[in-house]
Amino acid sequence: AAEVAIANEVLYLDAKEVANAVADSYAPPDSAPLYIGIENINQSPTAAPTLRHPALFRIQEVVLYRKALAPEEIENHVDINR
């Protein structure tokens, strides 16, 4: 996997940006497993995950895209699924 020098990470909740951070480095996990609802206590995006108990919350929906969405696209997705 190719390593990206800097990656901007944005978290949205109900189409609203709730967190934004910049990672020093990021290597896309092309062949890594995808865990949803499991807490990873290893904070380094380039290191192997250290998995812990399931996260204690309900997941309403998971959507994976092949590209980063613009804020308007995220808002549209939420509006369609209300």
Side-chain angles (χ1 to χ4, degrees):
E3 187 167 317
V4 177
I6 297 176
N8 188 38
E9 301 168 350
V10 182
L11 177 64
Y12 290 89
L13 176 63
D14 294 332
K16 305 291 185 236
E17 183 178 325
V18 294
N20 191 326
V22 176
D24 295 333
S25 64
Y26 175 72
D30 296 330
S31 61
L34 174 63
Y35 297 104
I36 298 172
I38 302 293
E39 182 180 8
N40 178 12
I41 59 174
N42 187 342
Q43 298 299 310
S44 172
T46 58
T50 303
L51 303 178
R52 195 163 62 174
H53 56 76
L56 301 175
F57 53 81
R58 290 184 179 190
I59 299 173
Q60 178 179 337
E61 178 181 24
V62 174
V63 180
L64 303 176
Y65 293 94
R66 294 188 177 275
K67 66 176 187 107
L69 300 181
E72 299 80 24
E73 292 174 301
I74 294 169
E75 189 171 334
N76 183 52
H77 174 86
V78 171
D79 287 342
I80 289 171
N81 291 298
R82 286 188 197 258

